[in-house]
């Protein structure tokens, strides 16, 4: 169903807000993350930096309830339509990780910060 | 602005329909593809299978006019809001590459085919 072998065991997964259509984030899944996501209905990714499963929201509480799952034509990318608990998917406190717009060589913050990362993540 | 080094020179780029919010496809960009995309306002990707720049629509005519460009919090993923010429982003003739839905262990085609790939791509 998913071609995990093509790129060394990980495929990109895009999370989109099921109600608004906002693209919230892109993360990675290995087979284990994929199977747990499908089985539990909660988004589980694989953290490349921590080299382990990342149950989205396990620290912040901002879990993603998965409403619909799609695979692309090449079976190497996943699209999740999710309900984002807490409203913010990004660890920096924004609704979407794509809160910076690039135009004319400039980068501008366009999103609104919904929470203060220092209050949510003890390490930050 | 973009961290191309993190994952060996390529970053994922998500293309979203600027009007409807439909996630059309995910492809890859190297630095050259990124720079040409930003400079020309047309989506240019890097084809991993062909190992060269892929000017989206160069064969099918279904180019993507880029309306807005975003980068994510880690500066390693790109989001393009595009106007999809021809209505279909997928080489299989669907509006979106994510035309297959996964539910209950079954995969179902949910998109509508807008063109016949055999008529558009001579090689198919």
């Amino acid at each position: 169903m998913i071609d995990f072998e093509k790129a060394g065991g990980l495929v990109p997964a895009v999370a989109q807000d099921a109600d608004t259509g906002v693209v919230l984030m892109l993360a990675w899944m290995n087979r284990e993350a994929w199977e747990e996501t499908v089985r539990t209905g909660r988004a589980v990714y694989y953290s490349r930096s921590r080299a382990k499963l990342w149950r989205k929201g396990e620290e912040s509480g901002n879990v993603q309830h998965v409403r619909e799952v799609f695979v692309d034509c090449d079976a190497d990318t996943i699209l999740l339509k999710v309900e984002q608990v807490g409203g913010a998917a990004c660890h920096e406190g924004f609704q979407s990780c794509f809160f910076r717009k690039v135009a004319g060589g400039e980068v501008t913050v366009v999103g609104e910060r919904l929470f203060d990362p220092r209050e949510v993540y003890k390490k930050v």
Side-chain angles (χ1 to χ4, degrees), chain A residues 8-67:
Chain A
L10 295 180
V11 300
V14 177
Q16 181 181 31
D17 187 287
D19 292 321
T20 65
V22 169
V23 175
L24 298 171
M25 58 184 282
L26 181 142
W28 302 83
M29 286 192 187
N30 62 3
R31 187 180 298 279
E32 195 182 351
W34 161 253
E35 289 178 352
E36 186 170 321
T37 296
V38 170
R39 191 176 69 245
T40 64
R42 283 199 183 182
V44 178
Y45 303 105
Y46 180 85
S47 168
R48 293 182 300 176
S49 59
R50 287 176 285 168
K52 63 173 191 172
L53 284 194
W54 165 33
R55 294 177 177 87
K56 171 69 183 158
E58 62 192 348
E59 200 176 346
S60 64
N62 293 348
V63 301
Q64 293 175 337
H65 296 294
V66 178
R67 290 237 200 108

Side-chain angles (χ1 to χ4, degrees), chain A residues 26-121:
Chain A
L26 181 142
W28 302 83
M29 286 192 187
N30 62 3
R31 187 180 298 279
E32 195 182 351
W34 161 253
E35 289 178 352
E36 186 170 321
T37 296
V38 170
R39 191 176 69 245
T40 64
R42 283 199 183 182
V44 178
Y45 303 105
Y46 180 85
S47 168
R48 293 182 300 176
S49 59
R50 287 176 285 168
K52 63 173 191 172
L53 284 194
W54 165 33
R55 294 177 177 87
K56 171 69 183 158
E58 62 192 348
E59 200 176 346
S60 64
N62 293 348
V63 301
Q64 293 175 337
H65 296 294
V66 178
R67 290 237 200 108
E68 291 181 294
V69 179
F70 300 86
V71 295
D72 80 339
C73 46
D74 294 328
D76 61 4
T77 305
I78 294 159
L79 172 65
L80 304 178
K81 296 201 179 180
V82 305
E83 178 194 336
Q84 176 62 63
V85 171
C90 183
H91 73 290
E92 294 202 23
F94 293 88
Q95 177 190 20
S96 165
C97 292
F98 299 96
F99 61 83
R100 291 181 298 171
K101 183 173 173 173
V102 181
E106 301 285 322
V107 181
T108 317
V109 171
V110 293
E112 180 195 353
R113 202 161 228 161
L114 300 179
F115 69 75
D116 181 345
R118 290 171 300 187
E119 293 176 6
V120 171
Y121 302 99

